């Protein structure tokens, strides 16, 4: 009796059966290079004649598919759209729910560091923000190491971030010198990485044993008729002078003046910013605020 009723119920369910489209991973915002797996199934039973088709924005996308899953590797923004499947068997066709996917360009996270001028030994909080935050990110944290060949940085994973962190925050305890940091986000399997963020810096006014910056004339306000020279000293043979200016610009000496040996002489422009020295061996000097004014 029970079996019979169960059977009747199943037939009824079969009569009202629906096609169901699902995706794996279950996200709606994807990025160029990620992959997605579509699965079209039917509630209730299916016979051997089944197959399905998938439409993108109402147009043919996958006309005939007889495997449970369909994996799309390496998405591009052109794959953004509404997806729907049609499940066919014998003489019936069922229409599924719609899934809306967006595929954006690979994101570049934005790192913020706080505070920018920690007192010696204080903690610094790094925050890595991804533009289209959606599920599944983990975060990797790096120290910026000046590159010899150009004015870029290479990245050295910070201890404690080898496996990525779930939180988009990372705390550095006992910050003592000027330093640069970067982050990037990752998710999925195979793992998909965002671009690296731009480097952000924390500055220290304290001269440390490895490197120091001295400014001459010794003043934080300068007038453009007097050249300002910035000298790097310390445990490296090759230095470069960097300047950060608001809101988010990073300069090097040869844009502002000339670098001879380890001295940068600034002759032009009206500018204000934070200056420091750095070397490809990873040393950073103390940092100095300088404001230049036009002379009246
Ligand atoms: C997919 O995600 C949506 C919204 O986050 C949720 O409602 C749904 O149950 C999820 N489906 C699966 C199969 O995990
Ligand atoms: C479906 O096909 C069967 C034979 O395979 C036929 O008997 C039935 O009438 C068809 N139903 C419809 C709605 O076309
Ligand atoms: C540079 O200026 C900031 C505020 O603009 C200040 O907090 C910081 O202490 C200054 N650093 C030095 C070394 O004077
Ligand atoms: C210079 O740096 C190297 C490597 O960073 C270190 O081994 C050496 O002790 C340093 N020397 C001085 C005088 O700080």
């Amino acid at each position: 009796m029970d079996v019979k009723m169960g059977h009747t119920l199943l037939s009824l369910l079969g009569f009202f059966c629906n096609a169901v489209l699902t995706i794996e991973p279950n996200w709606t915002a994807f990025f160029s290079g990620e992959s997605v797996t579509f699965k079209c199934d039917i509630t209730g039973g299916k016979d051997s004649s089944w197959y399905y088709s998938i439409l993108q924005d109402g147009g043919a996308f996958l006309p005939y598919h007889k495997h449970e899953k369909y994996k799309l590797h390496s998405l591009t923004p052109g794959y953004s759209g509404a997806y729907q499947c049609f499940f066919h068997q014998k003489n019936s066709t069922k229409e599924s729910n719609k899934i809306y996917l967006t595929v954006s360009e690979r994101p570049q996270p934005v790192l913020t560091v706080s505070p920018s001028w920690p007192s010696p030994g204080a903690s610094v909080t790094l925050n890595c923000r991804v533009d289209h935050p959606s599920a599944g990110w983990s975060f990797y944290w790096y120290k910026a190491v000046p590159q010899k060949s150009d004015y870029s940085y290479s990245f050295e994973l910070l201890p404690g971030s080898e496996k990525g962190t779930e939180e988009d925050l990372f705390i550095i305890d006992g910050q003592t010198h000027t330093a640069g940091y970067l982050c990037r986000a990752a998710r999925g399997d195979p793992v998909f990485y965002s671009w690296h963020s731009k480097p952000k810096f924390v500055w220290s006014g304290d001269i440390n044993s490895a490197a120091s910056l001295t400014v001459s004339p010794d003043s934080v306000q300068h007038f453009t008729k007097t050249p300002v020279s910035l000298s790097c000293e310390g445990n490296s043979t090759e230095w470069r002078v960097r300047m950060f200016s608001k809101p988010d610009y990073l300069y090097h000496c040869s844009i502002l003046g000339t670098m001879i040996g380890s001295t940068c002489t600034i002759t032009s422009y009206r500018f204000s910013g934070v200056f420091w020295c750095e070397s490809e061996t990873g040393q950073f000097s103390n940092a100095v605020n300088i404001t230049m004014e036009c002379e009246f």
Side-chain angles (χ1 to χ4, degrees), residues 16-212:
F16 291 111
C17 71
N18 282 311
V20 179
L21 178 64
T22 52
I23 55 168
E24 168 60 33
N26 184 15
W27 299 327
T28 52
F30 286 83
F31 296 98
S32 279
E34 287 190 306
S35 40
V36 64
T37 300
F38 293 92
K39 189 176 176 189
C40 183
D41 208 347
I42 198 152
T43 58
K46 57 187 176 200
D47 62 41
S48 61
S49 73
W50 71 272
Y51 71 93
Y52 61 79
S53 49
I54 300 180
L55 273 67
Q56 178 193 10
D57 296 327
F61 174 69
L62 183 67
Y64 176 91
H65 199 63
K66 210 173 158 49
H67 299 278
E68 266 192 21
K69 293 173 176 180
Y70 175 68
K71 184 162 187 175
L72 194 51
H73 296 274
S74 208
L75 289 164
T76 59
Y79 286 108
S80 298
Y83 290 83
Q84 189 179 23
C85 75
F86 288 81
F87 197 97
H88 311 271
Q89 55 181 340
K90 284 211 187 104
N91 47 13
S92 92
T93 295
K94 297 287 180 184
E95 188 174 324
S96 79
N97 54 306
K98 281 184 183 163
I99 290 181
Y100 298 87
L101 290 191
T102 60
V103 184
S104 316
E105 295 296 350
R106 185 186 294 264
Q108 184 178 38
V110 174
L111 179 70
T112 53
V113 298
S114 166
S116 301
W117 290 89
S119 42
S123 297
V124 173
T125 302
L126 310 183
N127 176 210
C128 194
R129 213 180 58 238
V130 197
D131 240 1
H132 304 278
S134 31
W137 292 113
S138 53
F139 298 88
Y140 291 82
W141 309 90
Y142 304 85
K143 190 168 86 172
V145 180
Q147 286 277 81
K148 187 174 184 176
S149 48
D150 52 20
Y151 291 97
S152 68
Y153 295 88
S154 61
F155 329 112
E156 209 174 90
L157 260 181
L158 289 172
S161 119
E162 294 84 356
K163 289 182 181 151
T165 63
E166 249 173 70
E167 272 216 85
D168 61 0
L169 293 177
F170 192 82
I171 292 171
I172 293 169
D173 288 316
Q175 183 74 44
T176 53
H177 315 106
T178 299
Y181 296 103
L182 302 99
C183 70
R184 72 171 165 170
R187 67 177 191 177
D189 180 22
V191 63
F192 167 81
Y193 289 102
S194 73
W195 299 118
H196 285 87
S197 70
K198 290 214 254 173
K200 289 293 160 66
F201 296 88
V202 292
W203 298 294
S204 163
D206 284 358
I207 292 170
N208 60 66
S209 56
S212 67

Side-chain angles (χ1 to χ4, degrees), residues 117 204-206 220 246 274 287-289:
W117 290 89
S204 163
D206 284 358
V220 289
K246 281 181 179 167
V274 184
V288 176
N289 293 317

Side-chain angles (χ1 to χ4, degrees), residues 245-257:
S245 110
K246 281 181 179 167
D248 193 14
Y249 301 111
L250 202 52
Y251 298 101
H252 49 87
C253 180
S254 53
I255 288 179
L256 308 162

Side-chain angles (χ1 to χ4, degrees), residues 209-210 235-236 281 283:
S209 56
N235 185 6
S236 173
T281 48
Q283 270 117 0

